[in-house]
């Protein structure tokens, strides 16, 4: 008779077997998380692949349900919640959501090539050659699949995919000049690059010619799936109605506070006029990257000097121009975190080269400092590297199931923290802080309304232009990613509010409270849903108190 494994061992074996198979359908996720063996593959998309993935997820859920969860340790119990919910959400997406909202951008293999340049991978040359060689057949099959269901493609996503394909070809044409490539170029690289570029260009032409006149899909995911995401990805314990109420309250309170500060600084409550005055002071275009580097380093030194959080032991952050194939998706700046297996913990801080004076003005000197706090120190870079260096926080269920309530909530909170501590110290910094928070409060409303209340893109753009002063082109670029990432936009303000409520409570109740201890605990569980982090690192009572204060009582003061 076979002896039964202890439940903790059975759980780990179940996870290991699941992910070995799951990464075959998500090879880019394997590279991002540092799992070897998948760097030569592109993401499969055939109907039989989708069916096999659904079956794999169903089998996992059955296997997890047979385990005695009470016999697992607390970290395993948390990971079990994450992976089981992720499997359920993925199957719901594959079976119910994606067939009605097919994204032609999902077939683009450009990131699959790019990630090999910035991640530590085994046998780089062979992996690069294999992925490049697979691109023509990959895109040929994608065209066949799209031809059969063109009507389900949302027009908004079609335009983004066309741009991504054309800029992806531009990116690949320059691939032989990349330092990681030209030091040891794979055999027949030029031919493989030429074939891949031709396939991308033909794919873009196909989308314009064959799909453009037939695409009529709706991007909204619907209230049922949106509420599922709130429950199963973000663990908020509420629905879109309660979430929207928070957005309304934050928007009203923050808007009033913003106008008050505007009057104090300019004598009127004309937010747009004061914004233009601030944006008039910006670096020259050829100085932009240098200024970002300087302010990023200044933020890092300030965090260390003030002892605000335990700094990661090893890390590097490079400020670079945004890769050309991403510039239509990143109008100004963004961050790419390192792989957990990268010994240098090398992150990338992307800055998109401005094309005109209007775009350059978005990089004003005061706002630029806020961006460095948000993206770098103590924002995204510090948070992701801290997670990567913590074995508990970088378990696969946590790496693969991040929540914007934590990683974006933390970054928005950091802007407030660095203002309180005196780094963001210009008189206008309070104005920028509140204007950016108003933007994130509006994101909650638009996120909910786009996906559950039939808000149109034009009406949503009107809100961003009217309340935030965004150029219409910037508003529409923002809305494109809102449409593709339901419940991510809400994570900024919802996460900030929860962190602020938790901090207020602990400052009041805990003897010996320090910011460093608070922040270290907050970052100890990885990038997963903030409710799970609070429950695990602080306790159920603190989670309930923070939740009730934010969603069912008063919100943090603006």
């Amino acid at each position: 008779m076979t002896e039964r494994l202890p439940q903790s061992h059975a759980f780990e074996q179940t996870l290991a077997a699941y992910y070995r198979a799951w990464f075959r359908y998500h090879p880019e996720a394997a590279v991002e998380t540092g799992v070897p063996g998948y760097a030569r593959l592109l993401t499969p998309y055939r109907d039989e692949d989708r069916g096999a993935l659904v079956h794999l997820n169903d089998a996992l859920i059955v296997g997890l349900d047979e385990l005695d969860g009470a016999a697992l340790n607390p970290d395993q119990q948390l990971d079990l919640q994450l992976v089981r919910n992720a499997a359920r959400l993925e199957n719901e997406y594959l079976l119910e959501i994606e067939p009605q909202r097919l994204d032609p951008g999902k077939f683009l293999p450009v990131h699959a090539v790019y990630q090999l340049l910035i991640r530590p991978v085994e046998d780089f040359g062979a992996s690069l050659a294999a992925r490049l060689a697979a691109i023509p057949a990959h895109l040929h099959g994608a065209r066949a699949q799209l031809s059969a269901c063109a009507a389900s493609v949302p027009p908004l996503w079609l335009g983004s995919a066309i741009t991504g394909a054309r800029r992806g070809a531009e990116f690949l044409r320059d691939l032989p000049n990349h330092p990681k490539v030209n030091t040891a170029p794979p055999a027949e690289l030029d031919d493989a690059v030429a074939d891949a570029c031709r396939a991308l260009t033909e794919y873009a032409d196909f989308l314009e010619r064959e799909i453009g006149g037939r695409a009529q899909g709706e991007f909204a995911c619907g209230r049922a799936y949106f509420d599922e995401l709130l429950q199963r990805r973000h663990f908020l314990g509420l629905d879109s109605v309660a979430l929207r109420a928070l957005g309304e309250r934050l928007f009203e309170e923050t808007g009033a506070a913003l106008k008050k500060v505007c009057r104090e600084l300019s004598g009127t409550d004309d937010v747009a006029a004061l914004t233009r005055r601030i944006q008039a002071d910006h670096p020259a275009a050829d100085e932009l990257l240098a200024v970002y580097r300087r302010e990023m380093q200044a933020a890092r030194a300030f965090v260390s000097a003030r002892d605000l959080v335990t700094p990661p032991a090893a890390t590097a952050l490079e400020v670079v121009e945004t890769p050309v194939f991403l510039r239509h998706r990143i109008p100004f700046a963004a961050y790419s975190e390192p792989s957990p297996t990268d010994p240098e913990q090398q992150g990338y801080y992307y800055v998109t080269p401005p094309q005109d004076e209007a775009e350059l003005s978005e990089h004003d000197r005061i706002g630029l400092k806020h961006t460095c706090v948000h993206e770098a120190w103590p924002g995204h870079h510090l948070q992701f590297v801290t997670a990567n260096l913590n074995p508990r926080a970088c378990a696969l269920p946590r790496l693969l199931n991040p929540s914007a309530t934590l990683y974006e909530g933390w970054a928005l909170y950091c802007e407030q923290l660095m203002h309180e501590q005196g780094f963001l110290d210009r008189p206008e910094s309070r104005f920028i802080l509140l204007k950016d928070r108003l933007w994130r409060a509006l994101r909650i409303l638009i996120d909910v309304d786009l996906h559950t209340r039939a808000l149109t893109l034009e009406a949503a753009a009107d809100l961003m232009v009217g309340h935030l002063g965004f150029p219409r082109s910037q508003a529409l670029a923002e809305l494109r990613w809102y449409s593709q990432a339901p419940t991510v936009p809400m994570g900024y303000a919802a996460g900030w509010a929860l962190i602020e409520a938790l901090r207020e409570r602990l400052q009041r109740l805990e003897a010996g409270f320090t910011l460093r201890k608070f922040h270290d605990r907050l970052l100890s569980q990885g990038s997963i849903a903030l409710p799970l982090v609070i429950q695990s690192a602080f306790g159920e009572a603190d989670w309930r108190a923070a939740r009730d204060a934010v969603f069912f009582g008063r919100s943090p003061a603006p």
Side-chain angles (χ1 to χ4, degrees):
M1 181 175 179
T2 302
E3 184 177 350
R4 185 180 181 188
L5 284 173
Q7 292 294 281
S8 59
H9 292 173
F11 174 67
E12 297 300 337
Q13 287 192 354
T14 298
L15 281 188
Y18 170 71
Y19 283 125
R20 277 196 301 273
W22 188 85
F23 281 127
R24 293 203 296 268
Y25 307 100
H26 303 84
E28 291 180 51
V31 172
E32 292 298 312
T33 53
V35 176
Y38 304 87
R40 302 187 185 196
L41 305 178
L42 295 180
T43 301
Y45 52 73
R46 299 173 304 169
D47 288 343
E48 50 264 46
D49 297 315
R50 291 160 53 87
L53 179 55
V54 168
H55 178 75
L56 176 67
N57 287 330
D58 282 339
L60 172 74
I61 293 168
V62 171
L64 294 177
D65 287 345
E66 291 176 350
L67 293 174
D68 179 7
L72 303 179
N73 67 46
D75 286 328
Q76 290 176 322
Q77 290 175 0
L78 192 156
D79 291 346
L80 185 148
Q81 292 184 73
L82 287 168
V83 71
R84 179 163 51 197
N85 279 6
R88 288 174 173 168
L89 282 171
E90 183 169 52
N91 275 3
E92 186 172 354
Y93 179 79
L94 291 171
L95 295 172
E96 299 179 23
I97 303 299
E98 188 179 45
Q100 307 302 319
R101 300 161 185 83
L102 186 58
D103 180 8
K106 83 167 202 167
F107 301 105
L108 291 176
V110 184
H111 181 267
V113 173
Y114 174 68
Q115 69 172 177
L116 300 179
L117 305 177
I118 63 171
R119 304 296 182 220
V121 294
E122 76 283 2
D123 202 354
F124 165 74
S127 297
L128 178 62
R131 285 190 169 181
L132 285 172
I135 286 175
H138 178 88
L139 289 176
H140 181 78
R143 290 162 60 177
Q145 187 168 116
L146 283 163
S147 292
C149 48
S152 67
V153 174
L156 178 66
W157 298 356
L158 177 67
S160 180
I162 292 169
T163 301
R166 297 202 186 283
R167 292 191 178 178
E170 182 181 349
F171 167 75
L172 290 186
R173 286 188 195 100
D174 195 47
L175 187 64
N177 297 320
H178 190 279
K180 192 172 179 179
V181 177
N182 63 26
T183 54
E188 302 179 349
L189 174 66
D190 291 342
D191 289 343
V193 167
D195 290 344
C197 290
R198 188 179 307 110
L200 282 164
T201 301
E202 291 174 353
Y203 184 66
D205 292 341
F206 160 79
L207 293 178
E208 286 184 331
R209 183 179 61 251
E210 302 293 337
I211 306 300
R214 300 160 60 196
Q216 53 186 339
E218 296 290 336
F219 60 77
C221 70
R223 179 173 174 180
Y225 186 66
F226 193 95
D227 286 349
E228 279 285 290
L229 290 171
L230 294 180
Q231 300 291 341
R232 296 193 182 278
R233 178 172 296 165
H234 306 295
F235 293 82
L236 285 171
L238 50 83
D239 62 12
S240 54
V241 175
L243 175 65
R244 195 182 192 285
L246 170 66
E248 290 176 334
R249 190 166 68 251
L250 286 178
F251 187 77
E252 180 180 349
E253 294 172 357
T254 307
L258 177 64
K259 289 185 176 181
K260 180 176 182 292
V261 170
C262 189
R263 288 191 295 270
E264 292 170 356
L265 292 172
S266 67
T268 75
D269 59 6
D270 189 340
V271 171
L274 181 53
T275 299
R276 288 192 297 271
R277 191 181 87 189
I278 292 170
Q279 290 183 333
D281 180 19
H282 56 74
D286 60 358
E287 299 175 346
L288 205 54
L289 292 184
V291 175
Y292 269 97
R293 292 185 185 110
R294 185 171 63 246
E295 295 295 355
M296 179 265 289
Q297 292 293 353
R300 180 178 187 176
F302 185 93
V303 170
S304 177
R306 290 299 178 100
D307 199 30
L308 296 177
V309 60
T310 299
T315 183
L317 180 59
E318 187 175 355
V319 180
V320 296
E321 287 190 353
T322 305
V324 65
F325 72 94
L326 291 174
R327 291 178 188 177
H328 67 298
R329 302 177 68 90
I330 302 173
F332 303 116
Y335 171 73
S336 177
E337 71 271 20
S339 164
T341 59
D342 182 353
E344 297 181 359
Q345 286 300 288
Q346 172 73 67
Y348 292 90
Y349 186 170
Y350 298 140
V351 178
T352 300
Q355 299 303 301
D356 52 37
E357 182 65 22
E359 290 185 6
L360 182 58
S361 71
E362 295 290 339
H363 300 274
D364 64 90
R365 294 185 186 275
I366 300 175
L368 189 153
K369 287 186 70 171
H370 285 251
T371 305
C372 287
V373 165
H374 186 104
E375 304 292 351
W377 297 92
H380 288 319
H381 183 64
L382 182 146
Q383 184 266 309
F384 278 108
V385 171
T386 297
N388 283 347
L389 297 177
N390 179 350
R392 173 174 56 189
C394 66
L396 284 176
R398 304 194 191 197
L399 290 173
L400 294 167
N401 296 289
S403 166
T405 57
L406 187 290
Y407 63 83
E408 294 296 0
W410 166 257
L412 187 59
Y413 163 79
C414 286
E415 296 180 40
Q416 173 185 309
L417 173 70
M418 294 290 271
H419 176 67
E420 294 169 345
Q421 293 295 311
F423 179 75
L424 303 174
D425 59 352
R426 292 279 295 273
E428 298 88 352
S429 292
R430 175 71 171 161
F431 173 83
I432 296 294
L433 182 77
L434 289 169
K435 187 168 182 283
D436 285 351
R437 192 180 300 162
L438 185 73
W439 173 22
R440 278 39 178 252
L442 186 60
R443 275 182 175 171
I444 294 180
L445 301 177
I446 292 176
D447 193 10
V448 171
D449 290 359
L450 278 178
H451 289 285
T452 74
R453 296 188 173 205
L455 179 69
T456 67
L457 282 173
E458 290 303 317
D462 289 342
L463 291 172
M464 300 180 82
V465 171
H467 291 293
L468 302 172
F470 280 12
R472 196 164 196 84
S473 59
Q474 180 186 347
L476 290 171
E478 279 269 319
L479 292 169
R480 186 181 300 115
W481 79 257
Y482 294 9
S483 74
Q484 293 177 301
T487 72
V488 173
M490 71 86 199
Y492 295 71
W496 161 78
L498 286 167
I499 293 171
E500 180 67 6
L502 178 65
R503 191 183 79 169
E504 287 182 359
R505 170 180 168 83
L506 297 181
Q507 283 177 316
R508 187 174 67 252
L509 297 179
E510 280 192 354
F513 174 92
T514 69
L515 286 173
R516 176 170 177 150
K517 284 193 269 187
F518 172 67
H519 296 149
D520 286 352
R521 290 169 72 186
L522 192 64
L523 301 184
S524 67
Q525 304 298 312
S527 305
I528 58 174
L530 185 56
L532 294 181
V533 170
I534 297 174
Q535 291 169 25
S536 179
F538 297 91
E540 182 67 27
D542 287 328
W543 158 241
R544 288 198 305 269
R547 177 200 60 195
D548 291 348
V550 169
F551 294 108
F552 307 113
R554 66 176 183 83
S555 61

